[in-house]
Amino acid sequence: MAAVWQQVLAVDARYAAYRTPQLPQFRTQYVRRRSQLLRERAQGGHLAGEARRWYLRLRARLLAQRYGALSEAGSTRSALRASRTTLDRMEDFEEDPRGSRGHRRSLSRSSGPGGLRGGPEERPPGVVPTPLAEASRAMAGDTSLSENYAFAGVFHVFDQHLDSAVRKVQFAHDERHLLACCSLDGTLSVCRLAPGPPAVLRRLRGHGAGVSDFAWSLSNDVLVSASLDGTLRLWDPSDGRCIRRVPDPDGAALLCCAFQPLNNNLTVVGSARHMVRVVNISTGKPARGGTGRLPGRALALCFDSPGRVLWAGDDRGSVSSFLCDPGTGRLTKASRVLVQAGGSITSLSARAWASREAPDPSLLVNACPDRLLLFRYH
């Protein structure tokens, strides 16, 4: 079945130079993922016989419509042969029956320091290395194409959010295998890595626009999500049920959210209208006195571990702090620091004890486009 996925991938390889011409690294990533998926499909017997021929014709037609015809028929056949040669080189590793990592069964060149070395050169019938393939190998650092496209070290790829950006990925508290992610396609996903094969447990649907942020409750029994549709939603991650929908009083897009660490009945949400607001999730109503205003759009929220101080970062490069009453949710403005004029604060993370060299409480700030700062606070 190896020849099946090689032929399919050869069609994509012919058009590789046309994909993201300004960002060539994404072309490599795309072909890697295509190779991984096609291997799995071929091993399962999904691409064979007439189905394979139909898929090849359809794929070639779609690519030609998007990028245009590549060349005349004769040169097209030459390009396909070159692609087949390149792809055959991707198959030049196989399992060693003696239990070692693998051995080279075709080309005998070393893969570099610490790499695998093969024995005498044994080319499969009909495979003739071309200067083009050698040039590609040199551009890749003289490593084999099999290594370049192997997805080495990747445990699993979740690709359920294909059409829109994933804004956040976060593991549940004290969990190694349970995580969630949100996407601008308007949904969230709850995923499991183990036990058993990795899987998407459920998709959380209901928002009318992209989901910009989410947070796990302390006991992991509730997820809160903020959306560009101007609503805050509470979810039960065990069954995907929406527990409550809370619209923003100003009708503004919601860009970030966080649970109050000592009182998970309170959630803080930041909006595109420069507001930070504390919401009681049991009633769906704003907490009395629980509002604050920022210089710009609220992009990031973070509490200290006691839940007494709330930091909020905005798109004008400033970080504002508020004192928060864990019982009532009342906010009192404390201070403001301009971190980077004209930049955006995209992430905040507070730690009470970063390391032995930095024993004081610290706040890590990511300031776009080019700064990562660590503040000490009292």
Side-chain angles (χ1 to χ4, degrees), residues 258-279:
F259 274 105
Q260 219 291 343
L262 295 187
N263 184 358
N264 277 189
N265 196 44
L266 299 177
T267 298
V268 185
V269 62
S271 78
R273 292 195 180 178
H274 307 193
M275 296 299 296
V276 172
R277 184 173 282 110
V278 180
V279 178

Side-chain angles (χ1 to χ4, degrees), residues 71-131:
S71 57
E72 299 296 327
S75 57
T76 298
R77 286 193 294 270
S78 299
L80 182 57
R81 285 197 297 272
S83 297
R84 287 292 307 278
T85 299
T86 300
L87 292 168
D88 284 336
R89 294 171 66 111
M90 295 171 62
E91 280 288 280
D92 65 356
F93 283 101
E94 64 182 7
E95 282 295 321
D96 192 321
R98 293 169 295 183
S100 63
R101 179 182 171 189
H103 70 279
R104 188 74 55 99
R105 65 174 169 85
S106 57
L107 302 177
S108 60
R109 298 183 63 173
S110 167
S111 63
L116 300 176
R117 297 178 180 271
E121 183 173 349
E122 299 176 7
R123 295 194 183 99
V127 176
V128 181
T130 66

Side-chain angles (χ1 to χ4, degrees), residues 263 266 278 287-288 290 325-330:
N263 184 358
L266 299 177
V278 180
R288 185 183 298 273
D325 186 328
T328 64
R330 183 180 183 84

Side-chain angles (χ1 to χ4, degrees), residues 253 255-256 269-276 292-301 312-320 322 333 336 338 343-345:
L255 306 178
C256 52
V269 62
S271 78
R273 292 195 180 178
H274 307 193
M275 296 299 296
V276 172
R293 188 166 184 84
L294 305 178
R297 299 188 304 158
L299 300 182
L301 295 170
D314 59 46
D315 64 349
R316 295 189 180 179
S318 67
V319 176
S320 303
F322 300 86
K333 187 176 179 180
R336 178 179 300 152
L338 180 61
S344 295
I345 307 302

